Amino acid sequence: FFDRRRFFRDSKVMPKKTPHPHDRCFRKVMGKSKIALKFLKSCIPAHIIEQIDPKSLKLVDGVFLNDAHCETRTDILYQANLKFKKGKKVSVLYFLIEHESSASPLMPIRIHRYMLSIIERHWHENHEQWPTVYTAVLYNGKKHYSVEPNFFKNFEYPFMAKEAFENSFYLVDLNKIDDEVLKKDPAL
């Protein structure tokens, strides 16, 4: 179990006065890989944590530009090597850690935007298979967290949303359809 009060008290981090001192403190504390690993062990399933090389856990840039050239910034983003290799290549996982003091109904969407940005940047830099991104949100609001964290459960019809996202898109490849079939069926 992760005790946030003891975590921040034991870190001996005294943030300077900023508009959001809790954010500065959070970044400073979670920016230490040993502390971040301890936190991740408290909330990410053990069978996942066991697959990473803990010595490889490193803080990476969490700043992204979207299509409108607006900057988005994650709170904390770590990359870690998996213990096993695919051929001779080392595979990586990312761990996104966000700090929230209010419960936003759109937090699951924001998390997914970050995840997609991380995957897309990784692909552009490495041109390899997409990495997996695990996320954790450390919440310290005054009220209990009231937002459903499961992305799909927020949809009106979760089973349909999950199916739509799992399939990404349905492909109709015209290159695989005979020209004669295409001539006969204008809907294709």
Side-chain angles (χ1 to χ4, degrees):
F1 176 72
F2 182 75
D3 183 336
R4 70 177 171 87
R5 290 174 298 220
R6 198 176 97 224
F7 174 77
F8 283 105
R9 184 187 68 231
D10 292 350
S11 69
K12 297 183 172 97
V13 174
M14 296 303 293
K16 295 178 183 175
K17 289 185 179 184
T18 63
H20 302 286
H22 56 278
D23 286 339
R24 183 183 179 105
C25 178
F26 174 78
R27 285 190 176 113
K28 187 165 186 171
V29 172
M30 282 296 182
K32 297 177 182 178
S33 62
K34 287 183 181 179
I35 294 173
L37 183 60
K38 189 173 183 179
F39 172 73
L40 291 169
K41 285 179 177 179
S42 75
C43 56
I44 303 293
H47 69 275
I48 301 301
I49 297 295
E50 290 166 1
Q51 301 304 316
I52 66 165
D53 173 5
K55 292 177 184 167
S56 72
L57 189 67
K58 68 176 181 179
L59 195 60
V60 294
D61 182 25
V63 178
F64 300 92
L65 287 178
N66 64 19
D67 291 339
H69 302 286
C70 295
E71 183 178 285
T72 58
R73 179 183 303 268
T74 64
D75 286 341
I76 296 290
L77 181 60
Y78 276 96
Q79 176 183 314
N81 295 340
L82 290 169
K83 289 180 181 175
F84 56 89
K85 294 181 180 180
K86 208 173 187 181
K88 294 181 180 180
K89 199 172 95 183
V90 175
S91 296
V92 299
L93 286 180
Y94 287 90
F95 295 99
L96 168 63
I97 307 171
E98 287 294 305
H99 176 242
E100 291 297 310
S101 57
S102 61
S104 168
L106 297 178
M107 187 61 176
I109 292 174
R110 193 167 102 209
I111 291 291
H112 274 78
R113 278 193 189 123
Y114 288 154
M115 292 170 73
L116 292 172
S117 294
I118 293 162
I119 292 165
E120 187 173 8
R121 181 174 69 194
H122 180 88
W123 186 85
H124 282 296
E125 291 175 354
N126 302 291
H127 295 288
E128 53 190 44
Q129 283 194 302
W130 301 349
T132 301
V133 181
Y134 283 91
T135 60
V137 175
L138 178 63
Y139 173 73
N140 71 336
K142 294 180 180 178
K143 298 177 182 177
H144 289 289
Y145 195 79
S146 58
V147 175
E148 172 57 59
N150 183 303
F151 182 73
F152 297 108
K153 288 183 180 178
N154 285 287
F155 285 87
E156 185 175 8
Y157 299 104
F159 71 96
M160 293 173 82
K162 190 171 184 179
E163 181 180 316
F165 274 84
E166 285 179 350
N167 290 313
S168 295
F169 58 88
Y170 292 97
L171 177 65
V172 177
D173 185 347
L174 295 177
N175 294 304
K176 293 184 178 183
I177 301 173
D178 188 68
D179 288 344
E180 293 305 313
V181 173
L182 289 172
K183 288 177 186 174
K184 290 178 184 174
D185 191 349
L188 293 175

